[in-house]
Amino acid sequence: MLRRRWRGILAVCWWGGLCGLTAIDAGSGADWAQLAVGLLLVTVAVVAARRVPALSLAVGLASGFVVVFDFGGHYPVWQIFLMVSASYFAGRRRARWQPTLGVFAAVSLAGIPFALFVPGTTGFGGWGAAMGLLVFAGIFPWQLGRYVRTREQMALTGWQRAEEME
């Protein structure tokens, strides 16, 4: 019971931190559309993180394609934090890796044409930035989450085996 309560408190803190960062980032440029979309994406990602981590990962990764737009010299950073945290939690909470790689492939394949044909971007500029962000803010935190999950499982298995041998 106590563990579930702490999970809820941490999820609310995660959501509040990301919403605050989104509000600060979007509010500095007075871009209300970016604020509304950012808050919606953050809320969907946090709510889906426990039950459907693949959806949370897909929302986090798709938010990274905001990098291809020109915001007049202002680069929004809220989606990087959303991508990193959603990717880490997806790696930490999913035992199977195949569905997660499917999400990575689907977002990449859907995002490449999007990044190539956005008005104002020239060829590789938007696509390269989006793919670089996908790799460094998506795949690396996911691998870190998988590592932490595997390490905890191995430690638990080791303690169980020690009790059995005793």
Side-chain angles (χ1 to χ4, degrees):
M1 182 71 162
L2 183 63
R3 190 174 190 184
R4 187 189 313 163
R5 183 173 293 163
W6 274 108
R7 285 181 188 165
I9 291 170
L10 289 176
V12 168
C13 290
W14 176 36
W15 176 79
L18 286 175
C19 284
L21 183 63
T22 304
I24 290 170
D25 196 26
S28 65
D31 188 3
W32 299 107
Q34 179 187 353
L35 176 64
V37 169
L39 291 176
L40 177 69
L41 291 176
V42 166
T43 302
V44 168
V46 171
V47 168
R50 175 69 51 197
R51 303 262 184 213
V52 190
L55 175 64
S56 176
L57 178 66
V59 168
L61 294 177
S63 73
F65 281 98
V66 77
V67 74
V68 301
F69 294 107
D70 182 26
F71 290 102
H74 170 73
Y75 179 72
V77 295
W78 60 267
Q79 84 280 358
I80 295 173
F81 289 100
L82 178 61
M83 286 178 71
V84 169
S85 58
S87 297
Y88 173 78
F89 286 128
R92 183 112 159 67
R93 293 179 177 151
R94 297 257 338 162
R96 297 183 57 219
W97 54 270
Q98 294 90 349
T100 307
L101 287 183
V103 169
F104 279 121
V107 169
S108 298
L109 290 176
I112 289 172
F114 175 76
L116 287 175
F117 298 115
V118 168
T121 60
T122 56
F124 185 71
W127 178 80
M131 289 300 112
L133 187 64
L134 183 67
V135 168
F136 291 110
I139 294 176
F140 286 160
W142 175 68
Q143 283 288 23
L144 178 65
R146 286 189 48 82
Y147 170 75
V148 170
R149 178 186 179 89
T150 303
R151 185 167 182 231
E152 284 180 356
Q153 286 177 343
M154 289 174 56
L156 181 63
T157 304
W159 283 110
Q160 288 174 348
R161 184 163 175 126
E163 285 179 10
E164 288 173 2
M165 291 177 69
E166 194 174 281

